[in-house]
Amino acid sequence: MTCRRIELDSANPTCTIDSGTNEVVLVCIAGQVDYACGQTTGTARFKDFIYVPWKSKLDVQTLHKAILMQVAAPSDRDTQFAHIKYSDVAKDPARHKVFGSAETASLRDVYMFIDDKFPAARLLMGVCEGSAGSWTSWPPHEHAQDREELYVYFDLGTAFAIQAVYEDLSEPLFCGIVRDGDMVAIRKGYHPNVSCPNGRITYFYAMAARVAGKREFMTLNIQPDFGKLSN
């Protein structure tokens, strides 16, 4: 799985993405863009996702400023172009889930844009919005045997969060401050995070199945001794 940042403005208003042998998803994390994929055209706004099948070309442009994050994973099948709107996912109870609780400081909203019912090859993607000062990805879990993952933080403003990635708490693979625009790759290990007080944590997650077609969303292993804690 790969990830890159695309910044568009009046001096650089257009970009063409050729998916080649990958399935590609663009996430609009700032501004909005107009797009064209074959005969399909439209406008993607803040927090919208654009899914591009393999062997496809997508043209995007903006009149002002926009930031897109491009995620790609190898594909082996024909799929369909899709513009997945945040406004549609947010009002769909099958795709907008609330996890955790205020009592355990783990309350968050998860928006499943590309879930295991979406006919992709490898990718599973969505947005997580935590409550102020709360933990997400809780209880700690991992799924490295089945897929790799990454988080891209956005819409944090001046707030920050702390991201941990570890197999053993005494020897973390990564533990550090993350701010708006940061990306954390999670190839293995448990990966909980927490926002600063009065700061909401917002990121999109992207998971790529190591075996094409094996995309069950809830295939994960909870860290021993933490399963009894509320998620």
Side-chain angles (χ1 to χ4, degrees):
M1 179 169 56
T2 62
C3 180
R4 72 164 176 148
R5 181 182 176 100
I6 302 171
E7 297 188 10
L8 301 175
D9 55 29
S10 57
N12 180 39
T14 65
C15 181
T16 297
I17 292 93
D18 190 339
S19 63
T21 58
N22 293 322
E23 58 182 355
V24 173
V25 176
L26 295 178
V27 184
C28 186
I29 64 170
Q32 67 180 50
V33 294
D34 296 322
Y35 65 80
C37 186
Q39 300 301 309
T40 303
T41 61
T43 300
R45 296 177 171 82
F46 180 55
K47 290 198 283 194
D48 285 1
F49 284 43
I50 302 173
Y51 176 87
V52 184
W54 73 339
K55 304 176 184 177
S56 300
K57 186 176 290 187
L58 178 78
D59 295 308
V60 295
Q61 64 176 357
T62 187
L63 296 176
H64 303 289
K65 290 184 178 181
I67 300 175
L68 303 171
M69 296 300 299
Q70 175 183 319
V71 176
S75 182
D76 63 352
R77 64 197 65 189
D78 294 329
T79 52
Q80 298 296 315
F81 173 88
H83 172 195
I84 311 167
K85 298 179 180 180
Y86 172 79
S87 58
D88 290 338
V89 177
K91 64 186 179 185
D92 181 353
R95 293 185 290 171
H96 175 193
K97 305 289 188 180
V98 179
F99 295 102
S101 68
E103 291 74 20
T104 59
S106 61
L107 185 65
R108 72 269 192 191
D109 291 80
V110 177
Y111 304 86
M112 301 174 182
F113 284 73
I114 298 176
D115 60 11
D116 47 19
K117 299 179 181 62
F118 186 96
R122 295 178 186 269
L123 290 174
L124 291 159
M125 295 182 62
V127 170
C128 180
E129 297 177 343
S131 299
S134 289
W135 291 83
T136 81
S137 292
W138 191 267
H141 62 271
E142 62 86 26
H143 26 65
Q145 181 176 343
D146 299 299
R147 50 187 179 264
E148 61 180 315
E149 187 168 18
L150 61 82
Y151 288 168
V152 174
Y153 289 85
F154 69 100
D155 199 31
L156 269 65
T158 59
F160 68 90
I162 296 173
Q163 175 72 60
V165 182
Y166 60 87
E167 292 183 295
D168 184 335
L169 276 168
S170 63
E171 297 182 5
L173 301 169
F174 172 79
C175 186
I177 291 174
V178 288
R179 306 196 70 176
D180 199 278
D182 286 344
M183 186 270 283
V184 177
I186 306 163
R187 297 190 179 278
K188 61 180 180 178
Y190 306 107
H191 42 274
N193 51 31
V194 62
S195 62
C196 65
N198 266 344
R200 282 175 57 86
I201 192 171
T202 303
Y203 58 89
F204 77 77
Y205 63 85
M207 293 185 281
R210 300 191 185 280
V211 177
K214 294 190 67 174
R215 300 171 55 249
E216 295 82 2
F217 184 79
M218 291 304 294
T219 301
L220 52 83
N221 299 308
I222 294 175
Q223 185 178 2
D225 299 328
F226 286 90
K228 61 182 177 295
L229 300 181
S230 173
N231 64 345

PDB file of all heavy atoms in Angstrom, residues 177-195:
ATOM      1  N   ILE A 177       4.080  12.421  19.083  1.00  0.00           N
ATOM      2  CA  ILE A 177       3.048  13.411  18.837  1.00  0.00           C
ATOM      3  C   ILE A 177       2.740  13.475  17.346  1.00  0.00           C
ATOM      4  O   ILE A 177       3.647  13.462  16.510  1.00  0.00           O
ATOM      5  CB  ILE A 177       3.509  14.790  19.353  1.00  0.00           C
ATOM      6  CG1 ILE A 177       3.559  14.781  20.889  1.00  0.00           C
ATOM      7  CG2 ILE A 177       2.603  15.914  18.858  1.00  0.00           C
ATOM      8  CD1 ILE A 177       4.133  16.036  21.490  1.00  0.00           C
ATOM      9  N   VAL A 178       1.467  13.521  17.019  1.00  0.00           N
ATOM     10  CA  VAL A 178       1.033  13.688  15.634  1.00  0.00           C
ATOM     11  C   VAL A 178       0.140  14.930  15.555  1.00  0.00           C
ATOM     12  O   VAL A 178      -0.636  15.213  16.470  1.00  0.00           O
ATOM     13  CB  VAL A 178       0.291  12.446  15.101  1.00  0.00           C
ATOM     14  CG1 VAL A 178       1.258  11.308  14.874  1.00  0.00           C
ATOM     15  CG2 VAL A 178      -0.818  12.014  16.055  1.00  0.00           C
ATOM     16  N   ARG A 179       0.266  15.636  14.433  1.00  0.00           N
ATOM     17  CA  ARG A 179      -0.491  16.868  14.234  1.00  0.00           C
ATOM     18  C   ARG A 179      -1.142  16.834  12.867  1.00  0.00           C
ATOM     19  O   ARG A 179      -1.014  15.863  12.115  1.00  0.00           O
ATOM     20  CB  ARG A 179       0.418  18.083  14.391  1.00  0.00           C
ATOM     21  CG  ARG A 179       1.178  18.093  15.731  1.00  0.00           C
ATOM     22  CD  ARG A 179       1.769  19.417  16.079  1.00  0.00           C
ATOM     23  NE  ARG A 179       0.702  20.376  16.418  1.00  0.00           N
ATOM     24  CZ  ARG A 179       0.940  21.608  16.838  1.00  0.00           C
ATOM     25  NH1 ARG A 179       2.184  22.041  16.950  1.00  0.00           N
ATOM     26  NH2 ARG A 179      -0.061  22.415  17.144  1.00  0.00           N
ATOM     27  N   ASP A 180      -1.832  17.902  12.543  1.00  0.00           N
ATOM     28  CA  ASP A 180      -2.565  17.976  11.291  1.00  0.00           C
ATOM     29  C   ASP A 180      -1.646  17.674  10.098  1.00  0.00           C
ATOM     30  O   ASP A 180      -0.572  18.266   9.972  1.00  0.00           O
ATOM     31  CB  ASP A 180      -3.159  19.385  11.139  1.00  0.00           C
ATOM     32  CG  ASP A 180      -4.276  19.421  10.131  1.00  0.00           C
ATOM     33  OD1 ASP A 180      -3.972  19.500   8.918  1.00  0.00           O
ATOM     34  OD2 ASP A 180      -5.442  19.374  10.538  1.00  0.00           O
ATOM     35  N   GLY A 181      -2.059  16.737   9.246  1.00  0.00           N
ATOM     36  CA  GLY A 181      -1.294  16.387   8.062  1.00  0.00           C
ATOM     37  C   GLY A 181      -0.336  15.236   8.230  1.00  0.00           C
ATOM     38  O   GLY A 181       0.243  14.766   7.238  1.00  0.00           O
ATOM     39  N   ASP A 182      -0.134  14.745   9.451  1.00  0.00           N
ATOM     40  CA  ASP A 182       0.805  13.647   9.672  1.00  0.00           C
ATOM     41  C   ASP A 182       0.213  12.311   9.252  1.00  0.00           C
ATOM     42  O   ASP A 182      -0.997  12.089   9.316  1.00  0.00           O
ATOM     43  CB  ASP A 182       1.208  13.571  11.145  1.00  0.00           C
ATOM     44  CG  ASP A 182       2.164  14.680  11.554  1.00  0.00           C
ATOM     45  OD1 ASP A 182       2.748  15.322  10.668  1.00  0.00           O
ATOM     46  OD2 ASP A 182       2.316  14.910  12.768  1.00  0.00           O
ATOM     47  N   MET A 183       1.100  11.408   8.834  1.00  0.00           N
ATOM     48  CA  MET A 183       0.711  10.043   8.485  1.00  0.00           C
ATOM     49  C   MET A 183       1.540   9.065   9.305  1.00  0.00           C
ATOM     50  O   MET A 183       2.739   9.265   9.481  1.00  0.00           O
ATOM     51  CB  MET A 183       0.925   9.783   6.988  1.00  0.00           C
ATOM     52  CG  MET A 183       0.399   8.427   6.500  1.00  0.00           C
ATOM     53  SD  MET A 183       1.616   7.104   6.595  1.00  0.00           S
ATOM     54  CE  MET A 183       2.645   7.478   5.185  1.00  0.00           C
ATOM     55  N   VAL A 184       0.898   8.017   9.811  1.00  0.00           N
ATOM     56  CA  VAL A 184       1.580   6.967  10.555  1.00  0.00           C
ATOM     57  C   VAL A 184       1.304   5.636   9.866  1.00  0.00           C
ATOM     58  O   VAL A 184       0.143   5.255   9.684  1.00  0.00           O
ATOM     59  CB  VAL A 184       1.119   6.910  12.028  1.00  0.00           C
ATOM     60  CG1 VAL A 184       1.794   5.741  12.756  1.00  0.00           C
ATOM     61  CG2 VAL A 184       1.415   8.220  12.739  1.00  0.00           C
ATOM     62  N   ALA A 185       2.363   4.935   9.457  1.00  0.00           N
ATOM     63  CA  ALA A 185       2.229   3.619   8.841  1.00  0.00           C
ATOM     64  C   ALA A 185       2.264   2.553   9.933  1.00  0.00           C
ATOM     65  O   ALA A 185       3.111   2.606  10.835  1.00  0.00           O
ATOM     66  CB  ALA A 185       3.351   3.391   7.832  1.00  0.00           C
ATOM     67  N   ILE A 186       1.349   1.593   9.840  1.00  0.00           N
ATOM     68  CA  ILE A 186       1.231   0.547  10.862  1.00  0.00           C
ATOM     69  C   ILE A 186       1.339  -0.804  10.158  1.00  0.00           C
ATOM     70  O   ILE A 186       0.340  -1.367   9.694  1.00  0.00           O
ATOM     71  CB  ILE A 186      -0.114   0.653  11.618  1.00  0.00           C
ATOM     72  CG1 ILE A 186      -0.285   2.070  12.185  1.00  0.00           C
ATOM     73  CG2 ILE A 186      -0.184  -0.385  12.731  1.00  0.00           C
ATOM     74  CD1 ILE A 186      -1.701   2.392  12.588  1.00  0.00           C
ATOM     75  N   ARG A 187       2.545  -1.292  10.048  1.00  0.00           N
ATOM     76  CA  ARG A 187       2.748  -2.578   9.378  1.00  0.00           C
ATOM     77  C   ARG A 187       2.492  -3.754  10.323  1.00  0.00           C
ATOM     78  O   ARG A 187       2.178  -4.852   9.887  1.00  0.00           O
ATOM     79  CB  ARG A 187       4.169  -2.662   8.810  1.00  0.00           C
ATOM     80  CG  ARG A 187       4.429  -1.609   7.726  1.00  0.00           C
ATOM     81  CD  ARG A 187       5.740  -1.856   7.011  1.00  0.00           C
ATOM     82  NE  ARG A 187       5.961  -0.859   5.978  1.00  0.00           N
ATOM     83  CZ  ARG A 187       5.441  -0.913   4.762  1.00  0.00           C
ATOM     84  NH1 ARG A 187       4.652  -1.927   4.434  1.00  0.00           N
ATOM     85  NH2 ARG A 187       5.695   0.025   3.877  1.00  0.00           N
ATOM     86  N   LYS A 188       2.645  -3.497  11.624  1.00  0.00           N
ATOM     87  CA  LYS A 188       2.375  -4.518  12.624  1.00  0.00           C
ATOM     88  C   LYS A 188       2.211  -3.819  13.963  1.00  0.00           C
ATOM     89  O   LYS A 188       2.584  -2.655  14.130  1.00  0.00           O
ATOM     90  CB  LYS A 188       3.512  -5.547  12.700  1.00  0.00           C
ATOM     91  CG  LYS A 188       4.860  -4.949  13.090  1.00  0.00           C
ATOM     92  CD  LYS A 188       5.933  -6.024  13.133  1.00  0.00           C
ATOM     93  CE  LYS A 188       7.289  -5.422  13.535  1.00  0.00           C
ATOM     94  NZ  LYS A 188       8.334  -6.474  13.636  1.00  0.00           N
ATOM     95  N   GLY A 189       1.635  -4.522  14.925  1.00  0.00           N
ATOM     96  CA  GLY A 189       1.552  -4.005  16.288  1.00  0.00           C
ATOM     97  C   GLY A 189       0.209  -3.392  16.648  1.00  0.00           C
ATOM     98  O   GLY A 189      -0.608  -3.068  15.783  1.00  0.00           O
ATOM     99  N   TYR A 190      -0.007  -3.247  17.946  1.00  0.00           N
ATOM    100  CA  TYR A 190      -1.188  -2.562  18.471  1.00  0.00           C
ATOM    101  C   TYR A 190      -1.014  -1.062  18.240  1.00  0.00           C
ATOM    102  O   TYR A 190       0.119  -0.551  18.226  1.00  0.00           O
ATOM    103  CB  TYR A 190      -1.339  -2.869  19.957  1.00  0.00           C
ATOM    104  CG  TYR A 190      -1.352  -4.348  20.266  1.00  0.00           C
ATOM    105  CD1 TYR A 190      -0.259  -4.965  20.873  1.00  0.00           C
ATOM    106  CD2 TYR A 190      -2.443  -5.140  19.936  1.00  0.00           C
ATOM    107  CE1 TYR A 190      -0.255  -6.331  21.146  1.00  0.00           C
ATOM    108  CE2 TYR A 190      -2.455  -6.508  20.206  1.00  0.00           C
ATOM    109  CZ  TYR A 190      -1.350  -7.101  20.805  1.00  0.00           C
ATOM    110  OH  TYR A 190      -1.353  -8.450  21.063  1.00  0.00           O
ATOM    111  N   HIS A 191      -2.111  -0.329  18.067  1.00  0.00           N
ATOM    112  CA  HIS A 191      -1.967   1.059  17.633  1.00  0.00           C
ATOM    113  C   HIS A 191      -3.035   1.997  18.204  1.00  0.00           C
ATOM    114  O   HIS A 191      -3.731   2.679  17.464  1.00  0.00           O
ATOM    115  CB  HIS A 191      -1.972   1.132  16.106  1.00  0.00           C
ATOM    116  CG  HIS A 191      -3.008   0.248  15.464  1.00  0.00           C
ATOM    117  ND1 HIS A 191      -2.769  -1.086  15.184  1.00  0.00           N
ATOM    118  CD2 HIS A 191      -4.270   0.486  15.051  1.00  0.00           C
ATOM    119  CE1 HIS A 191      -3.844  -1.618  14.628  1.00  0.00           C
ATOM    120  NE2 HIS A 191      -4.768  -0.680  14.536  1.00  0.00           N
ATOM    121  N   PRO A 192      -3.164   2.096  19.530  1.00  0.00           N
ATOM    122  CA  PRO A 192      -4.101   3.054  20.112  1.00  0.00           C
ATOM    123  C   PRO A 192      -3.558   4.481  20.012  1.00  0.00           C
ATOM    124  O   PRO A 192      -2.355   4.701  19.853  1.00  0.00           O
ATOM    125  CB  PRO A 192      -4.199   2.599  21.568  1.00  0.00           C
ATOM    126  CG  PRO A 192      -2.851   2.004  21.852  1.00  0.00           C
ATOM    127  CD  PRO A 192      -2.452   1.325  20.568  1.00  0.00           C
ATOM    128  N   ASN A 193      -4.451   5.456  20.131  1.00  0.00           N
ATOM    129  CA  ASN A 193      -4.043   6.856  20.120  1.00  0.00           C
ATOM    130  C   ASN A 193      -4.988   7.660  21.009  1.00  0.00           C
ATOM    131  O   ASN A 193      -6.075   7.197  21.359  1.00  0.00           O
ATOM    132  CB  ASN A 193      -4.015   7.417  18.696  1.00  0.00           C
ATOM    133  CG  ASN A 193      -5.301   7.151  17.934  1.00  0.00           C
ATOM    134  OD1 ASN A 193      -6.376   7.087  18.507  1.00  0.00           O
ATOM    135  ND2 ASN A 193      -5.201   6.991  16.625  1.00  0.00           N
ATOM    136  N   VAL A 194      -4.565   8.874  21.363  1.00  0.00           N
ATOM    137  CA  VAL A 194      -5.366   9.712  22.250  1.00  0.00           C
ATOM    138  C   VAL A 194      -5.137  11.171  21.882  1.00  0.00           C
ATOM    139  O   VAL A 194      -4.023  11.568  21.539  1.00  0.00           O
ATOM    140  CB  VAL A 194      -5.007   9.453  23.737  1.00  0.00           C
ATOM    141  CG1 VAL A 194      -3.558   9.800  24.029  1.00  0.00           C
ATOM    142  CG2 VAL A 194      -5.956  10.200  24.660  1.00  0.00           C
ATOM    143  N   SER A 195      -6.197  11.965  21.935  1.00  0.00           N
ATOM    144  CA  SER A 195      -6.079  13.388  21.623  1.00  0.00           C
ATOM    145  C   SER A 195      -5.796  14.192  22.891  1.00  0.00           C
ATOM    146  O   SER A 195      -6.058  13.738  24.006  1.00  0.00           O
ATOM    147  CB  SER A 195      -7.357  13.903  20.965  1.00  0.00           C
ATOM    148  OG  SER A 195      -8.457  13.782  21.841  1.00  0.00           O
TER     149      SER A 195
END
